[in-house]
Amino acid sequence: MLPNTAFTHGLSARWLYLIRTVEGISSLLSPLEDAIIQRFLPALTGQSAISKELRDLLALPCCLGGLNIADPSSLSFWQYTASCRITTPLAALIVQQEQSYTVSKSSIKQVKANLKTERQAAQKKVLDTLSTNSSPSLRRCIELANEKGASSWLTVLPTKEHGFHLSKGDFRDALCLRYGWPLSDIPSNCACGMSFKVDHAMICPKGGFPTLRHNEVRDITADLLTETCYDVAVEPMLHHLDGETFKLKTAITDDEARLDVSARGVWQHAQRAFFDIRVFYPNARSNLQASSLAAAYRNNECKKKRAYGERIRELENGSFTPLVFSNTDGMGDEASKFYKRIAELLSEKTAKPYSEVMRLIRCKLSFSLLKSAIMCIHGSRSSKHKPFRSDDFDIINSEARFTV
């Protein structure tokens, strides 16, 4: 992760000024691009060969499924042209030898906005071409990588104290999951007896990793609610039923039913809001049958609403919001609205810009889901490991007669 950050935030800036100010140096930058393709990218990604299609994909911004590792030789013409368009009013004043070099800030701002729009359109065109010509599996990976917040872990500076950090192996595993590349150093069979593949690893309950993934998101959500609301409870029990019935047969009627988190003051003052979290694997067969990725989110949200919505409204007199995530760092519409609300409340409380607070929330969730996905791949599911029980300790202590 550190080499990627050093390149995108540091090293690439060394030639950025050059290509903005010197015209026609595209051919001179070709050796630099060759070094990026032949040495840097293979060392970064662990992929021995970088095809032209893959190079074009990695050159795109992170939000479009790339790594923001631009090709300096092809970027030079665009950067020089953009620099000329931005500085045209100032250059005209210099040529006219005016006493004051005052340029309208609004006009420059408009030029920059136009340039940004043109560049985004060009990048979107490249992405559409890549998606059209790629395999169905890679097309699905690009679609997942284009989700809002799915690339937060690639854009943040790595800081261990905040948990925004990946080791070399974890970073390569994250790239393999992002682009559907084969993973190395994985077993051929799972501890449950099934063939070990990524699709199986993400949903296998052996080892409890899906539960740990779910609980990580639950705890982050509870911490955020504690900062902004009151009467926050983790896994709150619902009121017992006294003969009440519900319209839907899928409604949960268990007396021991509980949800993941509840709090007051989220949507309305003093009203209790309930939240239940689901993290699904978008490449599971049931989710691939959905007409689109958005439909998969809606299906999972509807399942939660059918299970708890009526009971929460009628018995608890509260609101219910399903928080649905994909394990590739995306989130459904209901979850997006909820975390935007939390960001709004945090922004008001801390007097910090809303955009900064929202980026922080997305980064926390992104790293949590990403590390959980990597844990599903490399975590130990072996049945040979048995927990050390307290009664075993008592037996050993009495038989061994330890002395201090």
Side-chain angles (χ1 to χ4, degrees):
M1 187 172 184
L2 287 173
N4 178 65
T5 304
F7 183 93
T8 55
H9 289 82
L11 184 62
S12 60
R14 293 190 174 186
W15 55 76
L16 190 58
Y17 176 78
L18 179 66
I19 62 180
R20 283 177 175 174
T21 55
V22 182
E23 184 181 10
I25 60 171
S26 176
S27 59
L28 300 177
L29 295 171
S30 295
L32 177 59
E33 171 61 9
D34 293 340
I36 293 174
I37 294 176
Q38 298 171 10
R39 301 180 63 182
F40 178 69
L41 287 178
L44 179 70
T45 63
Q47 305 298 307
S48 57
I50 306 298
S51 63
K52 183 182 184 305
E53 292 74 16
L54 179 57
R55 180 66 185 101
D56 292 340
L57 177 60
L58 299 183
L60 292 173
C62 297
C63 62
L64 293 181
L67 293 182
N68 199 29
I69 302 177
D71 176 2
S73 59
S74 61
L75 191 64
S76 61
F77 176 77
W78 168 263
Q79 288 288 353
Y80 180 78
T81 303
S83 178
C84 290
R85 289 174 60 179
I86 293 172
T87 57
T88 294
L90 180 60
L93 293 175
I94 294 175
V95 170
Q96 296 172 9
Q97 296 186 358
E98 297 288 343
Q99 295 292 330
S100 175
Y101 298 138
T102 303
V103 180
S104 172
K105 292 183 179 180
S106 60
S107 61
I108 294 179
K109 186 176 180 180
Q110 183 60 46
V111 171
K112 290 182 177 181
N114 294 338
L115 288 169
K116 182 178 180 180
T117 302
E118 293 172 11
R119 185 173 184 182
Q120 289 176 341
Q123 292 169 340
K124 186 65 168 59
K125 184 177 180 180
V126 172
L127 178 63
D128 292 340
T129 302
L130 290 171
S131 298
T132 302
N133 299 330
S134 61
S135 63
S137 59
L138 180 57
R139 191 179 307 120
R140 180 69 169 183
C141 291
I142 293 174
E143 180 186 12
L144 295 172
N146 272 261
E147 286 192 272
K148 187 72 173 180
S151 301
S152 297
W153 62 277
L154 280 168
T155 58
V156 68
L157 293 177
T159 49
K160 287 185 177 181
E161 57 269 27
H162 301 304
F164 301 155
H165 177 75
L166 295 174
S167 65
K168 175 182 176 181
D170 288 349
F171 181 77
R172 285 186 173 180
D173 289 339
L175 291 181
C176 290
L177 294 175
R178 181 177 174 88
Y179 296 114
W181 298 335
L183 285 157
S184 59
D185 300 327
I186 60 174
S188 56
N189 294 307
C190 182
C192 69
M194 299 290 290
S195 176
F196 192 91
K197 298 179 180 179
V198 172
D199 291 345
H200 173 74
M202 293 301 165
I203 59 177
C204 179
K206 190 75 172 180
F209 298 132
T211 302
L212 293 174
R213 176 176 61 197
H214 167 277
N215 292 347
E216 282 281 339
V217 178
R218 179 202 63 193
D219 293 343
I220 290 175
T221 303
D223 291 342
L224 292 170
L225 286 169
T226 303
E227 289 290 328
T228 56
C229 305
Y230 57 97
D231 192 19
V232 178
V234 176
E235 295 191 354
M237 292 280 295
L238 300 182
H239 287 118
H240 291 186
L241 299 180
D242 294 322
E244 291 89 351
T245 58
F246 304 107
K247 296 179 181 179
L248 298 175
K249 294 181 179 180
T250 54
I252 300 297
T253 57
D254 187 1
D255 285 340
E256 300 298 323
R258 62 180 68 210
L259 281 85
D260 288 320
V261 189
S262 69
R264 295 185 186 272
V266 179
W267 309 113
Q268 296 181 17
H269 178 69
Q271 185 191 43
R272 197 176 186 190
F274 292 83
F275 307 93
D276 205 54
I277 294 164
R278 170 173 288 182
V279 182
F280 73 95
Y281 180 50
N283 289 332
R285 185 179 302 175
S286 59
N287 294 311
L288 288 174
Q289 292 174 351
S291 59
S292 64
L293 184 59
Y297 280 107
R298 288 194 299 270
N299 292 341
N300 284 278
E301 288 174 346
C302 288
K303 289 179 182 179
K304 286 290 185 182
K305 288 181 178 180
R306 288 195 294 266
Y308 294 105
E310 187 179 3
R311 182 169 178 174
I312 296 298
R313 289 192 306 269
E314 301 299 331
L315 270 68
E316 306 292 337
N317 193 27
S319 64
F320 174 67
T321 304
L323 306 180
V324 176
F325 300 83
S326 67
N327 75 324
T328 53
D329 307 349
M331 66 175 72
D333 288 339
E334 298 278 353
S336 179
K337 293 174 183 177
F338 165 71
Y339 288 105
K340 286 179 180 179
R341 174 60 177 165
I342 294 299
E344 181 183 340
L345 295 174
L346 268 175
S347 177
E348 294 175 358
K349 180 179 178 180
T350 61
K352 299 293 184 181
Y354 167 83
S355 58
E356 292 183 6
V357 178
M358 194 63 208
R359 280 199 297 268
L360 175 61
I361 293 175
R362 289 191 185 279
C363 280
K364 283 183 173 291
L365 293 169
S366 178
F367 271 93
S368 172
L369 292 168
L370 179 62
K371 291 179 178 179
S372 297
I374 295 172
M375 180 175 60
C376 288
I377 296 293
H378 292 294
S380 175
R381 290 185 169 90
S382 175
S383 58
K384 296 180 181 179
H385 303 288
K386 296 182 179 180
F388 189 83
R389 299 178 299 179
S390 59
D391 53 348
D392 292 337
F393 176 82
D394 294 336
I395 294 172
I396 296 173
N397 188 32
S398 62
E399 292 180 354
R401 297 181 182 180
F402 293 120
T403 57
V404 179

